[in-house]
Amino acid sequence: MRHIFAICVCFIALQLEAQRPVVTERPTAESVEITNIQTIVVDAKNDYPLVQTVAQLWADDYKAVTGKTMTVLPTQPGKMKQLGKTPVIVAGTVGHSAAIDRMAAQGLVDTAAVGRQWERYVINAVPERNVVVIAGSDRRGTAYGLLELSRLMGVSPWYWWDDIPAQQHEQLHLSAHNYAAPSPSVKYRGLFINDEDWSLTHWAKLNYEKELGNIGPRTYARVCELLLRLGANMLAPAMHSCSTPFYQNKENMKVADKYGIVVTTSHCEPLLFNNASKAEWDTSKDGPWDYKINRQNIYNKLNARVAEACGNENIYTTAIRGLHDAHMQGGSQAEKLETMKQVLHDEREILQNNLKQPADRIPQIFVCYKEVQDLYEAGIEVPDDITMVWVDDNYGYLKRTSTPEEQKRTGGAGIYYHSSYLGTPHDYLWLNTTPPALIFEEMRKAYDTGARNYWLINVGDIKPNELALQTFIGLARDIDSVTPETANTQQAQFLAGIFGQRHYPALLSLLTDYYQLAWMAKPEYMGWEREWDNQERYQKLGDTDFSPSEVTDRLLAYRHLAERAEALRSQIPESLQPAFVHLLYYPMASAAAMNHKHLLAQLNRQLAKMGKTAEANQAAQLVRDSHAQIASLCALYNETKGEKWQHFMQVPKGLNALYQNLPNVTETPDAPASQLDLVSLCCAATESEPQQGYLQQIPLSQFAWQPSSASVQLVRQQGLGYEGYCLQMGRAAFDEPEPIASPNSSRLTASIAVPAGTDSVTIHVYALPLFPLNKYRTATFGIALDAEQPAVVTTYQQEWTNPWKDNVMRNSTHHAVRFAVTDLPSHQLHLVMGDPGTTIQRVAVEYDHAAPSIFTSW
């Protein structure tokens, strides 16, 4: 019995140690009243400057919550005689804070669990001594511990960026029993400010840093504080020619170090050097950006930058690309391979010479972006200690992950991901429409295949990509905090924490519909033009591929979305209105207005062709109203906090996008506008919709999973796809490919009823446009009817081809296979797994020839 009791005691102790800290308004026997604390003690002599920086942030947070002033006391342990008499917080880094080391020796905090590990902290509340101890394993560990306490008190990481006020409390009590936070799932995690021309630079120039006329240290201080509060640790600064290069203002580097933020750079900025700006590289003076013919000049520039920056914590991008994100220069592929070999040698020489340590101890990345991946696959040998950074296709789908051999690299792997992009086939710089479920699916796959060293997300101007950044960094901090079941709900939970838990159902419903509507076509795509495309149909604003009935459904769905967002907005208190507008209302109302503008223009042209001039005139007026509404919404966004956000929000024009313009409409001057409501107006336009064959959707819920073994799983991915969820056949990172021709391979099966007299049907299958997991895999699956041999299809299309453009614009591949059928009432449709991870989002059966629609047009 004694042994059983001892085991139980140990189990209870482990439970207490594992329990996360809790802040409540009522005291407990184990709690310390933190609203009665007036002093936070740090070791100013021995600890890192970051600790004092964050201690002051915490003092500011404390005042926002309690209204009381907190004193940051940079004291030594010998001067801490008041300890135990008045409540106090002691914060510091193990081995660097004499106070923390002394308290650990006295048993007031157990630092053994955090030791010298990466970015860990322990929080302990000691009620009998009236003290709260926060000890970090390193400088950021201490910072994260203090800011976790801020979050528990109700201070949002987004308090400044989204004007979220802290809720005030008279009493708050902390319970924490040596809680040791684990190291983050991903070592380096952060954001890339990119394509900043239309918002962040514009706002800094005209508002926040008018004295500089550009992004500078004040802006970067806000960015770095946000990163720290989110639990991130890395920044890739703005790098376009519209922005002042980061290192041109020496204060920027100091700001990053002050907040403990690691500076990295994008795929086209070797060794922290920004060649996009003439202030950094001027071809008229410096010559061509071609390492083969201008090696010494480029070497000197890179060497000078590393010499300038090496005193701070950095991650160095290796290899080389062309000037300002262009392809690498240097002749044939064989010549480029030789040049790249020389580049890598020289870059490591520069790093070793300046940092005075072996290259394999210096954090470096090799980013497989665009042509660099082609060169890597062609045979570039990347030193084993360099982190391989895999990329998405700019539209949210990873191009590949590490092979089993690459997973053994000492430098590990990382990811560069987009939730904002400028490029072909179309920009999406305006609104955040990347579903959290897609971010989760792709990043979980990356993590499971070894990408655990470096995650960077391109968030454009940060706003309005807050939710994407919140999701991405949340996963990087704790990959297991989200599951396929919760991937679609975690953003609503985050917003409910701001606006009230009673609004959670409404928030979830709004976000689910918002992402699902944008899944078929982002708001930026609704002009149906494409950029950098030589096809004539995409050179101007034009009709979408939505059929008249689909236009009607989409118009009404967006109107309903905007109305619900407005209804919820009316329930939000005044103090939270700015946050609600920025995080939810503006994106939803603007997406609705953009869709209305272009779809009503399409209706206008259709009605005019039908001779319905009054209806066409009314549609034309509604087009103008929608266009004006977008401008009004931008003004609302910019005016939410007086002058604070003036000049921030506008509809980005990209380089040659047209969607932001007013589309052409057809009007009859002498005919009055009709007075029909939107439903009646849509009905008038669908009267002549051709009635041909039809496309019968087979709900995914009708498919049964038949795995080859119990270990091969079917994953239901909520929050993705045309139906709001997808079916993933097998797990890409864990299950093995199966032969499509085998009758025993894993499959989804559904019964379909075929009308009598039908001799053939066309099966339409829509899947996520996923790339092969790695270079040894494909992305194939099979489509079969009854006992016929499956037709083998692939979700992969060569990047930059027209099929790939179609796929990323509509978040889907489309496979149409025709089968002869016998005169039987029922048939078995099989979707056969080839490569695990294939994700099905819609299945339909076409009888005769269905009328053109968004589902048959490509």
Side-chain angles (χ1 to χ4, degrees):
M1 277 297 282
R2 184 178 300 169
H3 294 300
I4 294 174
F5 177 76
I7 291 170
C8 290
V9 169
C10 290
F11 178 72
I12 292 170
L14 287 172
Q15 280 190 315
L16 285 171
E17 288 183 5
Q19 185 178 356
R20 296 188 66 88
V22 176
V23 170
T24 59
E25 291 187 325
R26 293 184 178 182
T28 67
E30 296 82 24
S31 67
V32 171
E33 184 183 350
I34 54 177
T35 43
N36 199 30
I37 293 174
Q38 297 179 2
T39 305
I40 178 169
V41 176
V42 296
D43 188 335
K45 180 179 180 181
N46 302 303
D47 215 338
Y48 297 99
L50 174 62
V51 176
Q52 292 188 66
T53 297
V54 177
Q56 187 56 58
L57 289 179
W58 195 87
D60 295 340
D61 295 345
Y62 178 84
K63 186 172 185 178
V65 173
T66 67
K68 301 175 184 177
T69 299
M70 168 72 63
T71 300
V72 178
L73 185 63
T75 188
Q76 300 299 310
K79 299 179 181 180
M80 293 173 57
K81 297 178 181 179
Q82 75 275 27
L83 188 62
K85 299 178 181 179
T86 60
V88 67
I89 289 180
V90 181
T93 310
V94 175
H96 292 267
S97 167
I100 289 295
D101 293 345
R102 179 182 178 185
M103 300 188 86
Q106 293 176 347
L108 296 178
V109 63
D110 183 0
T111 60
V114 298
R116 301 290 182 179
Q117 298 183 59
W118 185 257
E119 296 180 349
R120 297 195 67 180
Y121 61 86
V122 59
I123 300 179
N124 193 39
V126 189
E128 61 271 20
R129 298 291 294 274
N130 233 353
V131 63
V132 173
V133 187
I134 298 176
S137 61
D138 51 28
R139 62 174 181 159
R140 281 189 293 271
T142 307
Y144 295 148
L146 275 166
L147 293 174
E148 173 65 6
L149 189 53
S150 285
R151 189 191 65 79
L152 290 170
M153 291 193 305
V155 178
S156 170
W158 296 96
Y159 81 96
W160 188 87
W161 283 89
D162 282 306
D163 302 298
I164 302 169
Q167 184 176 351
Q168 294 205 334
H169 296 273
E170 290 186 3
Q171 279 196 17
L172 288 175
H173 302 264
L174 171 69
S175 298
H177 183 72
N178 278 316
Y179 169 73
S183 294
S185 298
V186 178
K187 186 173 184 178
Y188 296 108
R189 52 215 178 272
L191 64 83
F192 175 24
I193 298 170
N194 194 224
D195 303 314
E196 65 278 7
D197 311 43
W198 293 275
S199 292
L200 199 64
T201 301
H202 191 66
W203 167 76
K205 176 182 179 180
L206 300 177
N207 187 344
Y208 197 61
E209 297 196 75
K210 286 189 289 188
E211 69 284 357
L212 291 180
N214 214 299
I215 297 172
R218 285 191 68 208
T219 303
Y220 281 121
R222 291 297 183 182
V223 174
C224 290
E225 180 190 342
L226 171 67
L227 287 167
L228 204 60
R229 286 180 180 274
L230 288 173
N233 61 6
M234 183 173 67
L235 167 69
M239 49 73 65
H240 278 275
S241 57
C242 65
S243 303
T244 301
F246 184 78
Y247 288 98
Q248 292 296 313
N249 189 322
K250 308 307 179 188
E251 293 302 312
N252 291 337
M253 190 165 47
K254 296 177 183 178
V255 163
D257 187 60
K258 175 183 177 181
Y259 287 94
I261 298 301
V262 182
V263 176
T264 186
T265 49
S266 74
H267 49 85
C268 55
E269 297 172 84
L271 303 193
L272 307 177
F273 185 76
N274 177 1
N275 65 23
S277 171
K278 279 191 175 183
E280 299 266 276
W281 185 269
D282 186 343
T283 53
S284 66
K285 300 176 183 177
D286 301 315
W289 181 263
D290 185 335
Y291 208 79
K292 181 181 177 183
I293 63 176
N294 198 15
R295 173 176 174 246
Q296 194 59 54
N297 277 351
I298 298 175
Y299 184 103
N300 291 342
K301 290 278 190 177
L302 300 185
N303 186 66
R305 176 50 41 80
V306 174
E308 174 186 19
C310 65
N312 287 354
E313 195 174 1
N314 305 306
I315 300 174
Y316 298 92
T317 300
T318 62
I320 198 166
R321 297 195 65 223
L323 198 65
H324 194 177
D325 200 13
H327 281 223
M328 177 187 174
Q329 304 300 300
S332 67
Q333 185 178 73
E335 290 173 308
K336 289 179 180 178
L337 286 170
E338 283 301 310
T339 300
M340 192 69 84
K341 181 179 179 181
Q342 182 69 55
V343 168
L344 288 169
H345 171 272
D346 289 354
E347 287 172 337
R348 286 166 76 78
E349 179 181 83
I350 289 170
L351 290 172
Q352 288 185 132
N353 290 343
N354 284 282
L355 275 74
K356 308 302 181 185
Q357 56 182 309
D360 60 8
R361 295 179 58 189
I362 301 169
Q364 298 156 73
I365 56 175
F366 183 93
V367 186
C368 284
Y369 193 74
K370 294 184 179 178
E371 84 284 353
V372 176
Q373 180 173 342
D374 297 334
L375 291 171
Y376 172 72
E377 306 291 7
I380 292 175
E381 293 186 10
V382 180
D384 194 64
D385 58 276
I386 295 179
T387 299
M388 296 296 300
V389 175
W390 308 113
V391 302
D392 69 337
D393 61 353
N394 304 307
Y395 292 87
Y397 299 97
L398 295 181
K399 293 174 64 175
R400 95 165 179 81
T401 62
S402 297
T403 65
E405 293 85 0
E406 288 163 341
Q407 290 177 37
K408 299 174 184 177
R409 293 176 55 87
T410 58
I415 293 295
Y416 170 44
Y417 195 77
H418 291 76
S419 65
S420 174
Y421 179 63
L422 187 155
T424 188
H426 203 290
D427 306 340
Y428 61 105
L429 301 169
W430 184 31
L431 303 179
N432 167 44
T433 50
T434 303
L438 180 63
I439 299 174
F440 165 76
E441 166 57 28
E442 293 298 272
M443 300 316 297
R444 179 82 234 195
K445 180 168 60 180
Y447 183 86
D448 289 337
T449 51
R452 304 181 179 187
N453 206 45
Y454 179 103
W455 282 15
L456 183 70
I457 184 171
N458 181 333
V459 290
D461 297 287
I462 301 179
K463 297 169 71 68
N465 264 282
E466 298 101 324
L467 294 181
L469 180 59
Q470 178 76 27
T471 294
F472 184 87
I473 298 300
L475 286 168
R477 288 189 66 183
D478 182 1
I479 192 69
D480 294 322
S481 64
V482 180
T483 67
E485 293 74 28
T486 63
N488 188 51
T489 63
Q490 46 89 22
Q491 287 186 358
Q493 289 285 7
F494 165 70
L495 292 175
I498 298 170
F499 302 115
Q501 290 298 327
R502 67 188 181 93
H503 296 306
Y504 170 75
L507 291 165
L508 178 60
S509 176
L510 283 168
L511 286 172
T512 299
D513 290 351
Y514 170 75
Y515 286 123
Q516 188 174 349
L517 282 166
W519 182 256
M520 178 66 80
K522 294 179 181 291
E524 294 93 332
Y525 302 169
M526 288 308 297
W528 234 248
E529 94 282 14
R530 293 188 186 178
E531 301 174 75
W532 299 281
D533 199 301
N534 57 12
Q535 297 180 75
E536 185 178 352
R537 66 170 295 205
Y538 295 128
Q539 295 301 304
K540 57 185 179 181
L541 295 177
D543 288 350
T544 72
D545 289 337
F546 290 102
S547 70
S549 60
E550 289 168 340
V551 167
T552 296
D553 291 344
R554 193 169 177 86
L555 281 168
L556 295 177
Y558 264 114
R559 183 179 74 172
H560 186 46
L561 179 75
E563 289 173 346
R564 286 153 54 209
E566 182 63 60
L568 182 55
R569 182 185 170 203
S570 68
Q571 301 175 48
I572 301 299
E574 187 64 30
S575 62
L576 290 171
Q577 282 292 322
F580 190 83
V581 168
H582 282 211
L583 288 169
L584 210 71
Y585 180 73
Y586 176 83
M588 294 188 175
S590 296
M594 186 63 72
N595 273 264
H596 277 75
K597 180 175 77 170
H598 289 292
L599 293 175
L600 284 164
Q602 182 170 331
L603 281 187
N604 160 267
R605 293 186 286 270
Q606 182 182 351
L607 289 163
K609 289 179 182 178
M610 296 166 63
K612 298 185 176 183
T613 56
E615 292 85 349
N617 282 0
Q618 183 189 8
Q621 181 57 51
L622 292 176
V623 169
R624 288 190 290 271
D625 292 345
S626 298
H627 187 66
Q629 184 186 9
I630 295 171
S632 296
L633 288 165
C634 289
L636 172 67
Y637 188 106
N638 293 334
E639 294 166 2
T640 51
K641 289 291 287 185
E643 294 294 320
K644 181 177 179 179
W645 298 113
Q646 285 293 340
H647 307 292
F648 194 96
M649 182 52 64
Q650 57 180 312
V651 181
K653 300 176 182 179
L655 295 180
N656 58 0
L658 301 174
Y659 76 102
Q660 72 279 359
N661 297 333
L662 185 65
N664 292 327
V665 293
T666 301
E667 291 185 272
T668 304
D670 297 332
S674 68
Q675 298 302 313
L676 297 176
D677 60 20
L678 184 58
V679 175
S680 300
L681 192 65
C682 290
C683 289
T686 58
E687 288 178 1
S688 63
E689 188 169 5
Q691 299 297 318
Q692 304 172 2
Y694 61 96
L695 206 62
Q696 179 183 0
Q697 184 179 343
I698 304 174
L700 296 182
S701 59
Q702 292 186 15
F703 282 88
W705 178 237
Q706 298 175 355
S708 60
S709 68
S711 65
V712 184
Q713 296 182 11
L714 178 74
V715 181
R716 181 185 171 104
Q717 297 175 314
Q718 202 71 33
L720 279 181
Y722 298 149
E723 293 186 30
Y725 72 97
C726 296
L727 298 179
Q728 183 186 72
M729 296 189 289
R731 299 161 300 167
F734 297 107
D735 296 321
E736 293 297 321
E738 297 183 4
I740 294 173
S742 170
N744 299 317
S745 291
S746 303
R747 64 191 59 212
L748 288 165
T749 300
S751 296
I752 60 172
V754 176
T758 303
D759 60 3
S760 66
V761 295
T762 299
I763 305 299
H764 293 263
V765 180
Y766 306 83
L768 265 58
L770 301 174
F771 286 70
L773 182 70
N774 57 49
K775 65 180 182 178
Y776 300 132
R777 297 274 282 269
T778 65
T780 57
F781 69 101
I783 304 171
L785 197 65
D786 298 326
E788 290 195 39
Q789 196 69 12
V792 179
V793 297
T794 179
T795 64
Y796 166 70
Q797 293 291 343
Q798 184 65 40
E799 203 172 5
W800 315 119
T801 62
N802 286 329
W804 170 81
K805 292 176 183 178
D806 286 337
N807 290 349
V808 296
M809 294 284 282
R810 307 185 200 203
N811 284 304
S812 182
T813 60
H814 176 208
H815 313 281
V817 183
R818 195 159 188 83
F819 294 97
V821 295
T822 56
D823 196 12
L824 295 175
S826 180
H827 296 267
Q828 296 298 302
L829 172 60
H830 305 280
L831 304 180
V832 186
M833 187 184 87
D835 276 271
T838 297
T839 304
I840 307 300
Q841 63 175 323
R842 192 178 195 269
V843 181
V845 181
E846 182 180 7
Y847 301 99
D848 295 328
H849 297 285
S853 77
I854 194 69
F855 292 109
T856 61
S857 58
W858 93 103

